[in-house]
Amino acid sequence: MEEKKSVLKQWILSAIKHRSAKELREIFETIPNIDIAEAISDVDDPKLLLYIFRVVGSEYSAEFFAELSSEQQEAVINVFSDKELMEIISDSYADDIVDTIEEMPANIVSRVLKACPKDLRGDVNRLLNYKENTAGSVMTTEYIEMKDSVTVKEAIANIRKNGRDAETIYTIFVRDNSRTLVGTVQLSDLIFSKEDDVLRDIMDKDFVCCNVNEDQEEVAKMFKRYDLTAMAVVNSESKIVGIITIDDVVDIMEQEVSEDIAHMAAITDMEDPYLKTPILKLVLKCVPWILALMVLQVFSTMILSGFENEITKFAILAVFTPLIMDAGGNSGGQTTTMIVRSLSLDEFSGKDYGKVVLKELRVAAIIGGIVSVFAFGWLMFEMSVGIVNTDSILERIAITGGNYNAYMAMIAALVASTLFVTMIISRMVGCSLPFLAKLVKLDPAVMCGPVTTTMVDVISLITYFLLWTQIIGPQLGF
Amino acid sequence: MEEKKSVLKQWILSAIKHRSAKELREIFETIPNIDIAEAISDVDDPKLLLYIFRVVGSEYSAEFFAELSSEQQEAVINVFSDKELMEIISDSYADDIVDTIEEMPANIVSRVLKACPKDLRGDVNRLLNYKENTAGSVMTTEYIEMKDSVTVKEAIANIRKNGRDAETIYTIFVRDNSRTLVGTVQLSDLIFSKEDDVLRDIMDKDFVCCNVNEDQEEVAKMFKRYDLTAMAVVNSESKIVGIITIDDVVDIMEQEVSEDIAHMAAITDMEDPYLKTPILKLVLKCVPWILALMVLQVFSTMILSGFENEITKFAILAVFTPLIMDAGGNSGGQTTTMIVRSLSLDEFSGKDYGKVVLKELRVAAIIGGIVSVFAFGWLMFEMSVGIVNTDSILERIAITGGNYNAYMAMIAALVASTLFVTMIISRMVGCSLPFLAKLVKLDPAVMCGPVTTTMVDVISLITYFLLWTQIIGPQLGF
């Protein structure tokens, strides 16, 4: 991949150097635009880029322009003549223009807007006004809309005439006399229908559409659910104002996933590529969470600290606390992750909470059983072979007498029974918090992991030390 | 949503009860198949389902059948006559049939295969033989292929005649005389071209395609990169053997994301919906990792245990170890998550490792500075207001004398400087392991989190206790 990219770069640069328009055109004919743009992504000499635009045909230039980095776009716009800029812009889709100018300085924005034909400028301005992450902000305004009384023959003629500017001609949106969206027709339906069929009779009435203010995540879910390639976006009067196409949805899906993953790992977000994110921004994404989690830990610190006396008297107790806390954190994290993912895939809704808790309770009981039996054996092994220092046991026996093996077994049993409780609590808390978050309309992915860990830490530590002070300690003469 | 579903269910059941074919047909005309299938997902009386298939037209029945749960499909197949089964099956796409029979008992599989027309049966058998998660296993075999010498007029006539069975008619795959795939033509190109243009002259030569054995994750990346809606799958002789369409890719993307998220949380996988996964399978997905992580923890247990003497002498040391270990785990997790996500989006390749480490080093230094200053203040606060029990300090002062505030400050400084080291190590380890995993061709998401935590735990604990025994402890007369 890397090699192919560098070879392609050499080829393009050599074609530019030799002023070989023919060779450059051949490159554009046989190689996808995105690959070309990526190969020359570090070329920022506007003169080289300008040469490409001058020789490459208009069937490639607008799309190629959209694939350039925003630095390159800015450089090129600065050297374009007004006429050249106008040509590129009028071949571009409104949503691509919005993407371009959103990151540009004001003088570039105004040059680009001036270069837009009047209709397009209106569309661009309107798109710029929709709230981020709504259907309105990702839709485009180049679509084909026809009246329901149009015949198939007229429809095809209309597409031939006006379709070149549309983002897709495969879905045609059908409206009635009051301009209300009433159906969709696929181009394939037109191809398979008779010439004098009327759209009203062949259109799909079971189409879906969304409101301009719909969240883009919901839009992506609808595309997936209904296997769509294009969907109408309507205003509150059911009139179509734009469309969203599947290629935009693929980008939305990726963005939403990055957001979910970031939240689960307690990072503010990951909207920009890592290498392009400034150092200080990376720090700001991470550090508040680390500090917040440290503050949250005050509860487990208090408990540990409250049992300091027991630790002083029998330090081996402190050796096993991280093991218990980590096992609880891992187990809670597993549950939270499964539930958050299922919620975000709409596998179940709030009212399935009862079913989930019941299932988790049974899973947790089995896991608790397995983990505590394993932990008992593993701790006996660790203590027997000397991985864990047993000086505190030996000292104790020297003072009070008692059987060394019985001591080991009692400690292993203490940890094992604490783990049993921990496994149950961690899965109960881990499966409940995402539902609770959803109920109060928070993103279930945010903070559920850390809060689960904190709660499980507290309950496990209390269980551990209570079991010790009330039951096992006294048995061993503490 | 839930309400709409239950209302729809009532409507369908009432239409079936009143044997109203008209009403049922109206439902199918105005409501998407998937919504209907979901509304009656808990209806398993084959007689009711059979009635639906008998009255609903063939334009809906095959697609509706594909949306049913596999239990419902099995029930319906059992009551279908051979003729009815044959009608549904011959209207279905090969890939949907494969999805259906993959989970069925052998007698059903053989009935379905018998019901397939001969061509389709061959396709289904071939698809069943491709390895899971390859392009071959997700492709379908209903596509339109034409010779490059065909004219636009002939092409459109051909589509009208043969296109109904194809999964898409929007991309036409063009081959030369030796049956090699040489280009693609969009239906829109045909619409906009002159009738006697030849495909060879209007086709896109910069198309992309993939091999049957290509990993489905790579296929999904290509769709995203090149904004495709359909892609040819070729064999080793560059002959087309199937196509993949965007709706399959959306499912693949979701599946791959679930896999990544599961791996990061140390769960074996999450391929089935949570509520449908049996209890024991859930246990098996989770419990091996918890046990493995417990075993991995042997290193930190050894270190803690090795410094048991110090803890006995000064138990407050044990109170702060979870705080240090958790902060390291959280910070390492943040880095790992960012790097794993960037790697899976192909934002950078192995050779960018140097750049990443350099960037992380600077981020870590800043985070380390902030966290340690904050921790110093926070610990002083915790100890001053009595959140942390300071009996061990008071006891110590009673024996050896010394200033109480100086003691607190020294302990806070010990934790703060350990955290500085921890932040740096956690980000270095956290950003390196995913690259290392990629280098040895493991999934970077698997185990990087837990292994980072283990390594960071070990290094932090050693730092903490060495700082104590070598520098700070002696200052306080230990």
Side-chain angles (χ1 to χ4, degrees):
Chain A
M1 192 72 189
E2 281 305 312
E3 259 175 55
K4 193 184 133 200
K5 199 169 125 180
S6 107
V7 171
L8 180 56
K9 183 180 168 184
Q10 299 307 321
W11 188 17
I12 298 167
L13 291 182
S14 120
I16 297 177
K17 200 174 131 204
H18 297 115
R19 292 285 181 254
S20 166
K22 186 168 162 269
E23 213 171 323
L24 261 181
R25 279 192 213 110
E26 190 190 328
I27 293 174
F28 273 82
E29 262 168 39
T30 52
I31 291 168
N33 274 320
I34 170 93
D35 290 341
I36 300 175
E38 212 174 88
I40 59 163
S41 61
D42 53 359
V43 172
D44 45 14
D45 180 348
K47 269 179 285 178
L48 297 185
L49 296 171
L50 194 58
Y51 182 73
I52 297 180
F53 282 99
R54 293 219 163 123
V55 303
V56 164
S58 64
E59 70 269 39
Y60 296 110
S61 50
E63 199 192 313
F64 177 63
F65 181 77
E67 302 284 9
L68 292 179
S69 74
S70 61
E71 292 79 19
Q72 290 174 314
Q73 289 176 333
E74 193 177 331
V76 173
I77 293 176
N78 277 322
V79 295
F80 268 157
S81 71
D82 283 346
K83 183 161 163 284
E84 281 166 334
L85 184 59
M86 217 177 289
E87 272 170 19
I88 294 275
I89 293 294
S90 58
D91 277 345
S92 299
Y93 294 117
D95 58 341
D96 285 337
I97 298 177
V98 170
D99 286 347
T100 300
I101 63 181
E102 261 171 350
E103 295 172 23
M104 297 273 167
N107 62 325
I108 300 272
V109 173
S110 85
R111 253 200 94 195
V112 169
L113 284 177
K114 258 186 225 150
C116 288
K118 207 173 150 218
D119 284 5
L120 189 58
R121 195 182 318 148
D123 289 343
V124 170
N125 276 320
R126 206 153 357 102
L127 291 183
L128 282 170
N129 283 327
Y130 287 109
K131 253 176 67 188
E132 213 188 346
N133 298 336
T134 61
S137 74
V138 290
M139 71 185 189
T140 189
T141 48
E142 291 94 348
Y143 54 88
I144 301 186
E145 188 182 9
M146 293 182 197
K147 273 177 69 175
D148 57 356
S149 54
V150 162
T151 65
V152 167
K153 192 178 173 184
E154 289 165 346
I156 292 180
N158 184 331
I159 294 171
R160 283 222 169 89
K161 196 169 148 226
N162 303 315
R164 279 179 200 275
D165 290 336
E167 174 120 3
T168 180
I169 63 166
Y170 294 147
T171 305
I172 291 117
F173 300 92
V174 184
R175 58 178 168 81
D176 63 11
N177 280 327
S178 65
R179 302 190 63 86
T180 303
L181 180 68
V182 290
T184 58
V185 170
Q186 302 302 312
L187 181 59
S188 53
D189 298 329
L190 296 181
I191 297 281
F192 295 130
S193 297
K194 287 189 238 73
E195 284 203 331
D196 47 3
D197 280 348
V198 173
L199 297 193
R200 188 185 298 123
D201 301 324
I202 61 164
M203 71 186 184
D204 297 316
K205 286 179 288 245
D206 60 346
F207 69 98
V208 288
C209 61
C210 71
N211 186 278
V212 273
N213 297 315
E214 186 68 86
D215 187 301
Q216 62 175 12
E217 191 171 359
E218 293 305 314
V219 172
K221 280 184 190 166
M222 288 171 80
F223 267 79
K224 195 198 152 273
R225 181 176 174 86
Y226 299 108
D227 281 347
L228 306 174
T229 51
M231 181 165 72
V233 181
V234 298
N235 62 16
S236 48
E237 286 125 36
S238 291
K239 294 189 173 56
I240 181 168
V241 291
I243 63 164
I244 296 178
T245 49
I246 182 78
D247 53 317
D248 302 316
V249 170
V250 170
D251 296 338
I252 294 171
M253 286 176 63
E254 210 165 83
Q255 192 182 328
E256 295 290 336
V257 165
S258 290
E259 212 174 85
D260 275 9
I261 294 181
H263 289 167
M264 278 192 255
I267 308 170
T268 299
D269 71 55
M270 302 189 291
E271 65 201 8
D272 308 309
Y274 175 84
L275 284 177
K276 292 202 176 163
T277 310
I279 305 258
L280 277 181
K281 210 165 166 190
L282 281 177
V283 170
L284 280 180
K285 278 176 205 288
C286 295
V287 86
W289 297 97
I290 298 192
L291 302 185
L293 296 175
M294 201 178 279
V295 172
L296 259 184
Q297 242 193 355
V298 65
F299 303 105
S300 40
T301 307
M302 276 170 76
I303 295 164
L304 258 183
S305 172
F307 291 101
E308 212 181 85
N309 251 329
E310 276 64 39
I311 296 175
T312 307
K313 280 190 268 173
F314 202 47
I316 200 169
L317 289 177
V319 171
F320 295 117
T321 52
L323 186 146
I324 292 165
M325 292 165 83
D326 276 9
N330 290 329
S331 159
Q334 289 178 328
T335 315
T336 304
T337 303
M338 286 198 276
I339 302 299
V340 166
R341 181 71 184 149
S342 296
L343 280 172
S344 86
L345 292 178
D346 283 339
E347 278 175 20
F348 40 69
S349 62
K351 74 178 178 59
D352 290 315
Y353 176 61
K355 264 190 248 174
V356 171
V357 167
L358 232 78
K359 189 157 190 170
E360 277 302 304
L361 205 56
R362 291 154 71 192
V363 173
I366 301 176
I367 292 186
I370 298 175
V371 167
S372 53
V373 169
F374 177 86
F376 183 86
W378 175 245
L379 258 67
M380 289 300 282
F381 167 78
E382 283 191 326
M383 290 186 279
S384 310
V385 301
I387 290 175
V388 170
N389 169 354
T390 48
D391 288 355
S392 46
I393 299 182
L394 295 173
E395 274 167 32
R396 190 73 201 167
I397 295 177
I399 305 170
T400 62
N403 180 307
Y404 179 71
N405 286 330
Y407 258 82
M408 289 203 302
M410 291 299 259
I411 292 164
L414 168 69
V415 174
S417 17
T418 305
L419 280 172
F420 184 79
V421 176
T422 303
M423 289 299 114
I424 302 217
I425 299 297
S426 63
R427 289 193 81 99
M428 287 299 103
V429 175
C431 81
S432 303
L433 281 180
F435 279 98
L436 191 69
K438 210 180 161 164
L439 198 70
V440 297
K441 304 211 183 291
L442 287 174
D443 178 350
V446 175
M447 288 297 280
C448 276
V451 176
T452 303
T453 305
T454 306
M455 291 178 64
V456 175
D457 279 356
V458 168
I459 299 173
S460 317
L461 285 176
I462 293 181
T463 309
Y464 183 65
F465 283 108
L466 281 187
L467 277 178
W468 171 250
T469 53
Q470 304 304 311
I471 302 177
I472 295 184
Q475 299 260 348
L476 298 179
F478 279 91
Chain B
M1 194 70 190
E2 281 305 311
E3 260 175 54
K4 191 184 133 199
K5 200 171 125 182
S6 107
V7 171
L8 180 56
K9 184 180 168 185
Q10 299 307 320
W11 188 17
I12 298 167
L13 291 182
S14 120
I16 298 177
K17 200 174 130 203
H18 297 114
R19 291 287 183 253
S20 166
K22 186 167 160 270
E23 212 173 323
L24 261 181
R25 278 192 213 110
E26 190 191 327
I27 293 174
F28 273 83
E29 262 167 38
T30 52
I31 292 169
N33 274 320
I34 170 94
D35 290 341
I36 301 175
E38 213 173 87
I40 58 163
S41 61
D42 53 359
V43 172
D44 46 12
D45 181 347
K47 269 180 282 174
L48 299 184
L49 296 171
L50 194 58
Y51 181 72
I52 297 181
F53 282 99
R54 293 219 165 124
V55 303
V56 165
S58 65
E59 70 270 39
Y60 297 110
S61 51
E63 200 192 311
F64 177 64
F65 181 78
E67 302 285 8
L68 292 178
S69 74
S70 64
E71 292 78 20
Q72 290 174 314
Q73 289 176 333
E74 194 177 330
V76 172
I77 293 175
N78 277 323
V79 295
F80 269 157
S81 70
D82 282 348
K83 185 163 162 282
E84 282 166 334
L85 183 60
M86 216 177 288
E87 272 169 20
I88 293 274
I89 293 294
S90 57
D91 277 344
S92 300
Y93 294 119
D95 57 342
D96 285 337
I97 298 176
V98 170
D99 287 346
T100 301
I101 63 181
E102 261 173 349
E103 296 171 22
M104 297 272 167
N107 61 324
I108 300 274
V109 174
S110 86
R111 253 199 95 194
V112 170
L113 284 177
K114 257 185 226 151
C116 289
K118 207 172 150 217
D119 283 6
L120 189 59
R121 194 183 318 148
D123 289 343
V124 170
N125 276 321
R126 207 153 357 102
L127 291 183
L128 283 170
N129 283 327
Y130 287 110
K131 252 175 69 187
E132 214 189 343
N133 299 336
T134 60
S137 74
V138 290
M139 73 186 187
T140 190
T141 46
E142 291 94 348
Y143 53 88
I144 301 187
E145 189 182 9
M146 293 183 197
K147 273 178 71 174
D148 57 357
S149 53
V150 163
T151 64
V152 168
K153 192 177 173 184
E154 290 165 344
I156 293 179
N158 185 331
I159 293 170
R160 284 222 169 89
K161 196 169 147 224
N162 303 316
R164 281 179 199 275
D165 292 335
E167 173 119 4
T168 180
I169 63 165
Y170 295 147
T171 305
I172 290 117
F173 300 92
V174 184
R175 59 177 169 80
D176 63 10
N177 280 327
S178 64
R179 304 191 62 87
T180 303
L181 181 67
V182 290
T184 58
V185 170
Q186 302 301 313
L187 181 59
S188 52
D189 299 329
L190 296 181
I191 297 280
F192 296 131
S193 298
K194 288 189 235 75
E195 285 204 331
D196 48 2
D197 280 349
V198 174
L199 295 193
R200 187 186 299 124
D201 300 325
I202 62 164
M203 70 187 184
D204 297 317
K205 285 179 289 241
D206 60 348
F207 69 98
V208 289
C209 60
C210 71
N211 187 277
V212 272
N213 297 316
E214 186 68 85
D215 188 301
Q216 64 175 14
E217 191 171 359
E218 294 304 315
V219 172
K221 281 183 188 165
M222 288 171 82
F223 267 79
K224 195 197 153 276
R225 181 178 175 84
Y226 299 108
D227 282 346
L228 305 174
T229 50
M231 182 165 72
V233 181
V234 299
N235 63 15
S236 49
E237 285 125 37
S238 292
K239 293 188 173 57
I240 181 169
V241 291
I243 62 166
I244 296 178
T245 49
I246 182 78
D247 53 317
D248 302 316
V249 170
V250 170
D251 296 338
I252 294 172
M253 285 177 65
E254 210 164 84
Q255 192 182 329
E256 296 289 337
V257 166
S258 290
E259 213 174 85
D260 275 9
I261 294 182
H263 288 167
M264 279 192 253
I267 308 170
T268 299
D269 70 56
M270 301 189 290
E271 64 201 7
D272 307 310
Y274 174 84
L275 285 177
K276 291 202 177 162
T277 310
I279 304 259
L280 276 181
K281 212 167 166 190
L282 281 176
V283 170
L284 279 180
K285 278 176 205 286
C286 294
V287 86
W289 297 96
I290 297 191
L291 302 184
L293 295 175
M294 201 179 280
V295 172
L296 258 183
Q297 241 194 356
V298 65
F299 303 106
S300 38
T301 307
M302 276 171 76
I303 295 164
L304 258 183
S305 171
F307 290 101
E308 211 180 86
N309 251 328
E310 277 64 40
I311 295 175
T312 307
K313 278 191 268 172
F314 202 48
I316 200 170
L317 289 176
V319 171
F320 295 117
T321 51
L323 187 146
I324 292 165
M325 293 165 83
D326 276 10
N330 290 329
S331 160
Q334 289 177 327
T335 315
T336 305
T337 303
M338 286 198 276
I339 302 299
V340 166
R341 181 70 184 151
S342 296
L343 281 172
S344 86
L345 292 177
D346 283 339
E347 278 175 19
F348 41 68
S349 62
K351 76 179 176 55
D352 290 315
Y353 176 61
K355 264 191 250 175
V356 171
V357 167
L358 232 77
K359 188 157 193 171
E360 278 301 304
L361 207 54
R362 291 154 70 193
V363 173
I366 301 176
I367 292 186
I370 298 174
V371 167
S372 51
V373 169
F374 177 86
F376 183 85
W378 177 245
L379 259 67
M380 289 301 283
F381 167 77
E382 284 190 326
M383 289 186 281
S384 311
V385 301
I387 289 175
V388 170
N389 169 353
T390 47
D391 289 354
S392 46
I393 299 183
L394 295 173
E395 275 167 32
R396 190 72 201 168
I397 295 178
I399 305 171
T400 60
N403 179 308
Y404 179 69
N405 285 330
Y407 258 83
M408 287 203 303
M410 291 299 260
I411 291 165
L414 167 69
V415 174
S417 21
T418 305
L419 279 171
F420 185 79
V421 176
T422 303
M423 288 299 114
I424 302 218
I425 300 296
S426 63
R427 289 193 82 97
M428 288 298 103
V429 175
C431 80
S432 303
L433 282 181
F435 279 98
L436 191 69
K438 210 181 160 160
L439 198 71
V440 297
K441 305 209 183 295
L442 287 175
D443 178 350
V446 175
M447 288 297 279
C448 275
V451 176
T452 303
T453 304
T454 306
M455 290 179 64
V456 175
D457 278 356
V458 168
I459 299 173
S460 317
L461 284 176
I462 292 181
T463 310
Y464 182 65
F465 283 108
L466 280 187
L467 276 178
W468 172 251
T469 54
Q470 304 304 311
I471 301 177
I472 295 184
Q475 299 260 348
L476 298 179
F478 279 90

